[in-house]
Amino acid sequence: MSPTSRLVFAASAGIVASLACAGLAQAAQKTILLGMQCDRTGPTEIVGTSLCPGIHDYIALVNSKGGVDGWKIRADEIDTEYKVPPAVEEYERAKEQGAVGIMIYGTPQTEALNAKLEVDHIPGTSPGFGIAASSDGKYYPYLFPIAATYWSQAAAAVKFAKDQLGGSLKGKKIAYIYFDNPAGREPLPILNALKRREGFQLRDFAVPPPGVDVSAQVLAITQSYHPDFVISHTFGKSPSLVIKGLKENGYPLTHVVGLVWASGEPDIKAAGGWGAAQGYNTMQFAGAGENYPVIREIKAMYKKEGKAPPAAMKNTVYYNRGILQAATFVAAIRNALKLTHGQKPTSVDVRKGFEMIRHFALGGIVPPLTITASDHEGGGWVQIFRVEGKGLKKLTPWFRAYRKVVVAKAERTAQEMAAK
Amino acid sequence: MFGSETGVFKTSYAADMALYPLPVARRTMAFLALFFLFAVPLLFSVYAVTILNLVLIAVVGALGLNILVGYTGQVSVGHAAFMSVGAYTAANLIARLHAPFWIAIPAGGGMAALVGAFFGIPSLRIKGLYLAIATLAAQFIIEWTINHVTWISGGVDASIQVSPPVVFGMALETQRQLYFFLLFFAALAVTATLNLVRSRVGRALVAVRDQDIAAEIIGINTFRYKLAAFAISSFYAGVAGVLYTYYLGIANYEQFGISVSIDYLAMIIIGGLGSVLGSIFGAAFITILPEATRLFLKHFGGMFLSHGAILNLIPNIRLILFGSLIIFFLIVEPEGLNRLWRNIRNYFRIWPFTT
């Protein structure tokens, strides 16, 4: 055998050995397992690298206080690179290990797992993305958006534009710039419905994937369409390019609102920093900033352990969304434990636990979530934060808009999907 | 030694042309068949079976690409797009007409073959990198079309849910049930390819690869065989796309991006161009490697780093490791894992007289 062949043989033996070790999963007592999918690499890594630490830190905080009624929570994370097959793999593994719920990340992943969740009776969360119609719990019993869907976000954006433009949208022009994929197109039906209702003009500008160049769309908006308001629904690299482009072309950023995935600190930094993005409006489904009791508790927890809090905490928008997702799951587990009188809850109990959440606020970092059997969205609340000075400043309280239009659309779509 | 070749005599042409002329090879195949049919589903965890299912699908896709790139020498970076053609054809048939799998799979493959043959037309005039760019166009055109034509993609979400395949009245819902289904098609694809490459068509393809002008002079219609290679390759891709759709329970065009095409190219290059076994090795390697590195880092990374740091590092180290391993294997054995396996096999073939 040549030396190289021997090396290869040794390397493969090592890998096999490590796989064998992995098989011996650690079975701790009184642990409730959650599946957790992240995107720390891949197209939306700026989200995953901050959101996932938020989830882990909140769970660590709960565990450091003795867990939920004595039950420790363990979130088993996997990086999916925003691909569907790893998400399915993770789901199968989590199911096998007895996970009572799955934190999904990504719209295609949510669509792929939806049917499986229903078959296996495991609740999954898809905050701020996923299937907009799944806010209707009657048709999507195991999927919990737990935050404003794209339809609620679009409705809120129109309401915000209306307020900013003096209370009426009659004859006004709104530009909708979006990432040209299914998630990007999802708000369009709501925007079109509201266009007729409020009497504004609407033109949409698609940014083709991978969304690294938006100059043509920005020029069309600023040089030929001249809208009164711009709604930006972009992901990954493109939100910062939209901010930058509009700013360079002299469009007032106070008349631009980014939906929830165009609203993080990394987007603003990539657009040229706080100074360059002054006035840009960001939509949030979890509170931005650090001024919340739960953040102070996490900082204290780190201090007690003699460690510095993670750098991810500075990206408050995504970090806090991680807290929202973890905290809602913990609240559901707490409710489930009430149902089981302290016995280990099943995934079905946790689903019931979700539907028992009422006016959950967690010191303001979470909107007043009320999740019921028919409303898995929790109300569809958002908040607008504006870039002011060196941070995001709260501009509006939690609000929602055109609720009837959104709920009716969700129900109609869910019915159509069910009919298929 | 276990695989002695002495004393194996053939008395008929049929015996000489058998797929596995040596008794040891037939015994190995029987062992592998028993292993995959009984040992795997009985002993492996559901999670391992889930990953194995992905490998089986990748094997079908990689075989297809190897027929085109490895055997015929036509570079294609649009393989994933042809998979999406198969996936959406089948998904539409299943969702709208409730087509059973034995219609959906050939239909998906057939449609992909048609589209593939169409995009293969430029191969008559252009070669090498130029052809690669032409197939890149196929990748983008197909992706765009599926994204925007709602009649194909089934609405705004561009995702179509499909019901699980029903075999003999049983719906294959779990990964274990799906395993047998996928194993059958992977085995079928392997057998078909093994026989294809030693047939007249297969030899014609190799002739086109080695020197297409010479091939034309000896009477091979290069245009026809190039198109046939594109069609056959895309047929495999289409079938892989349908299997993928059954596996995920959903057809979604975002799963068939350019990076997947590159992954498949990586599979056949690492496995070995122009080799059936190489396609299998490559598909297994590229599919299992991310998972293996993840498990490895999860269990041994803790010795050096804190838990939080690991979580952030795993995905990145995995990508670095992935890239370095590919380079490592290409330098150690440019002809792929298949050659590496042959070297090992040849060593034992004449053992103990190996130098």
Side-chain angles (χ1 to χ4, degrees):
Chain A
M1 213 189 261
S2 71
T4 42
S5 309
R6 222 169 282 153
L7 196 63
V8 170
F9 183 73
S12 40
I15 289 172
V16 169
S18 72
L19 281 171
C21 293
L24 310 163
Q26 61 278 48
Q29 283 197 329
K30 284 209 101 174
T31 309
I32 293 174
L33 180 70
L34 295 175
M36 172 178 171
Q37 305 185 351
C38 277
D39 179 18
R40 291 185 194 245
T41 55
T44 60
E45 61 174 36
I46 56 172
V47 177
T49 47
S50 304
L51 193 144
C52 299
I55 295 177
H56 286 298
D57 284 351
Y58 185 80
I59 288 173
L61 178 72
V62 169
N63 286 342
S64 76
K65 290 183 190 166
V68 184
D69 298 345
W71 288 87
K72 300 268 193 219
I73 297 183
R74 189 162 68 87
D76 208 0
E77 179 192 318
I78 189 176
D79 173 61
T80 62
E81 295 179 45
Y82 209 77
K83 293 177 182 165
V84 174
V88 174
E89 271 172 42
E90 193 278 345
Y91 173 78
E92 293 293 339
R93 193 180 41 157
K95 183 176 89 178
E96 189 175 50
Q97 293 175 353
V100 296
I102 310 283
M103 301 186 213
I104 309 171
Y105 182 77
T107 296
Q109 289 80 355
T110 312
E111 282 169 351
L113 291 179
N114 170 43
K116 297 184 198 299
L117 292 172
E118 225 173 299
V119 171
D120 300 324
H121 302 292
I122 298 174
T125 51
S126 59
F129 52 83
I131 309 162
S134 68
S135 58
D136 194 321
K138 293 194 293 292
Y139 295 94
Y140 292 86
Y142 285 89
L143 199 53
F144 290 85
I146 64 170
T149 62
Y150 288 140
W151 289 341
S152 294
Q153 292 172 32
V158 170
K159 170 76 163 62
F160 178 66
K162 189 177 173 181
D163 292 348
Q164 294 293 301
L165 295 173
S168 168
L169 285 173
K170 205 143 241 105
K172 300 278 200 245
K173 290 202 270 189
I174 291 183
Y176 174 62
I177 179 165
Y178 65 102
F179 197 83
D180 195 8
N181 71 356
R185 285 191 297 266
E186 197 155 38
L188 274 169
I190 290 290
L191 290 175
N192 282 319
L194 295 177
K195 174 178 82 174
R196 286 188 291 276
R197 192 182 161 128
E198 292 289 340
F200 60 84
Q201 293 176 45
L202 179 75
R203 198 184 289 175
D204 54 84
F205 300 86
V207 177
V212 288
D213 181 21
V214 302
S215 46
Q217 292 79 4
V218 166
L219 277 180
I221 291 173
T222 55
Q223 306 299 319
S224 85
Y225 186 53
H226 303 291
D228 297 290
F229 214 86
V230 177
I231 298 171
S232 164
H233 182 33
T234 43
F235 316 109
K237 192 93 191 82
S238 38
S240 58
L241 297 172
V242 171
I243 301 173
K244 215 172 173 173
L246 289 172
K247 171 90 178 169
E248 276 166 6
N249 283 284
Y251 193 85
L253 291 179
T254 48
H255 284 63
V256 183
V257 63
L259 297 195
V260 299
W261 301 111
S263 290
E265 283 101 343
D267 298 318
I268 287 150
K269 282 177 192 145
W274 297 104
Q278 287 295 306
Y280 179 68
N281 302 297
T282 67
M283 186 177 284
Q284 308 293 351
F285 64 76
E290 296 194 309
N291 194 16
Y292 299 99
V294 60
I295 303 280
R296 286 192 284 275
E297 281 181 50
I298 290 172
K299 279 185 175 164
M301 176 185 78
Y302 272 102
K303 205 169 172 187
K304 215 163 96 188
E305 290 169 15
K307 285 189 230 158
M313 210 177 211
K314 291 275 171 256
N315 290 329
T316 62
V317 168
Y318 298 135
Y319 184 85
N320 294 0
R321 284 177 195 176
I323 291 184
L324 175 140
Q325 195 169 2
T328 314
F329 242 116
V330 169
I333 291 170
R334 187 164 280 135
N335 290 339
L337 281 166
K338 274 182 211 150
L339 290 175
T340 59
H341 307 291
Q343 296 300 307
K344 184 167 188 164
T346 63
S347 54
V348 178
D349 296 325
V350 174
R351 177 194 157 228
K352 284 183 199 142
F354 269 110
E355 293 179 349
M356 288 159 65
I357 292 174
R358 297 284 177 276
H359 307 293
F360 186 49
L362 202 68
I365 201 166
V366 175
L369 278 185
T370 294
I371 300 173
T372 64
S374 59
D375 179 11
H376 280 189
E377 192 184 8
W381 303 95
V382 296
Q383 235 172 4
I384 305 287
F385 282 69
R386 181 173 275 179
V387 179
E388 267 183 43
K390 277 192 173 299
L392 292 167
K393 198 168 165 231
K394 189 155 93 177
L395 196 67
T396 69
W398 292 110
F399 74 103
R400 50 186 180 174
Y402 307 109
R403 193 73 192 141
K404 270 189 188 148
V405 180
V406 174
V407 170
K409 169 79 184 153
E411 193 167 359
R412 213 163 48 239
T413 311
Q415 271 170 358
E416 278 167 22
M417 295 297 288
K420 272 186 198 169
Chain B
M1 200 47 203
F2 56 85
S4 171
E5 286 162 43
T6 29
V8 178
F9 302 110
K10 291 145 191 160
T11 50
S12 68
Y13 285 117
D16 199 32
M17 282 163 60
L19 202 48
Y20 302 106
L22 293 180
V24 60
R26 283 196 292 272
R27 277 201 295 273
T28 315
M29 284 314 293
F31 169 75
L32 282 178
L34 285 176
F35 178 75
F36 280 106
L37 271 175
F38 298 105
V40 169
L42 286 176
L43 301 176
F44 280 34
S45 68
V46 175
Y47 178 56
V49 172
T50 308
I51 293 175
L52 210 55
N53 282 348
L54 273 180
V55 174
L56 293 173
I57 298 169
V59 164
V60 178
L63 281 171
L65 191 60
N66 221 338
I67 291 172
L68 185 63
V69 181
Y71 283 100
T72 322
Q74 311 295 309
V75 184
S76 165
V77 285
H79 205 59
F82 300 133
M83 289 173 73
S84 68
V85 171
Y88 274 92
T89 307
N92 274 309
L93 286 174
I94 298 164
R96 293 183 190 195
L97 304 173
H98 305 287
F101 78 91
W102 47 268
I103 288 181
I105 287 178
M111 183 61 97
L114 275 180
V115 175
F118 173 75
F119 281 105
I121 291 174
S123 67
L124 179 67
R125 292 290 177 91
I126 52 180
K127 288 182 205 167
L129 277 178
Y130 298 91
L131 181 61
I133 298 301
T135 54
L136 189 67
Q139 172 80 39
F140 288 126
I141 292 169
I142 293 171
E143 224 174 289
W144 190 92
T145 310
I146 291 176
N147 190 358
H148 286 90
V149 180
T150 48
W151 185 80
I152 300 173
S153 61
V156 195
D157 290 335
S159 316
I160 304 174
Q161 287 215 7
V162 299
S163 43
V166 179
V167 182
F168 302 126
M170 186 174 72
L172 306 181
E173 268 164 356
T174 68
Q175 292 289 335
R176 264 181 219 282
Q177 291 167 336
L178 213 50
Y179 168 77
F180 292 103
F181 183 72
L182 296 173
L183 184 67
F184 171 75
F185 283 101
L188 194 67
V190 170
T191 319
T193 317
L194 278 174
N195 282 309
L196 174 79
V197 298
R198 59 197 201 117
S199 70
R200 186 177 186 281
V201 179
R203 284 192 297 273
L205 296 181
V206 172
V208 170
R209 173 191 70 191
D210 288 346
Q211 176 56 270
D212 58 351
I213 295 172
E216 208 161 359
I217 289 167
I218 58 169
I220 292 167
N221 185 342
T222 46
F223 185 49
R224 213 173 83 196
Y225 280 105
K226 278 178 179 178
L227 277 196
F230 265 97
I232 295 168
S233 156
S234 306
F235 184 87
Y236 277 76
V239 170
V242 184
L243 296 177
Y244 212 53
T245 304
Y246 276 132
Y247 172 84
L248 296 176
I250 195 169
N252 185 302
Y253 81 98
E254 287 173 274
Q255 293 328 303
F256 301 106
I258 176 84
S259 66
V260 178
S261 289
I262 305 288
D263 274 354
Y264 275 91
L265 272 177
M267 281 177 202
I268 60 168
I269 290 171
I270 289 176
L273 287 171
S275 139
V276 172
L277 195 58
S279 312
I280 300 171
F281 282 151
F285 185 80
I286 296 282
T287 316
I288 294 174
L289 185 64
E291 208 40 42
T293 47
R294 195 184 64 79
L295 284 175
F296 180 80
L297 285 169
K298 197 174 164 189
H299 289 271
F300 297 103
M303 295 173 195
F304 312 103
L305 294 156
S306 74
H307 183 65
I310 291 281
L311 284 174
N312 234 334
L313 274 174
I314 286 177
N316 295 295
I317 291 182
R318 200 183 62 208
L319 291 178
I320 295 169
L321 208 62
F322 191 65
S324 346
L325 269 175
I326 288 175
I327 295 174
F328 171 80
F329 272 109
L330 288 183
I331 289 173
V332 171
E333 194 47 85
E335 288 176 51
L337 296 172
N338 181 49
R339 186 52 187 262
L340 211 61
W341 158 246
R342 274 167 179 276
N343 288 347
I344 295 170
R345 198 185 61 179
N346 288 344
Y347 173 89
F348 284 109
R349 203 170 190 174
I350 46 171
W351 187 85
F353 303 110
T354 326
T355 48

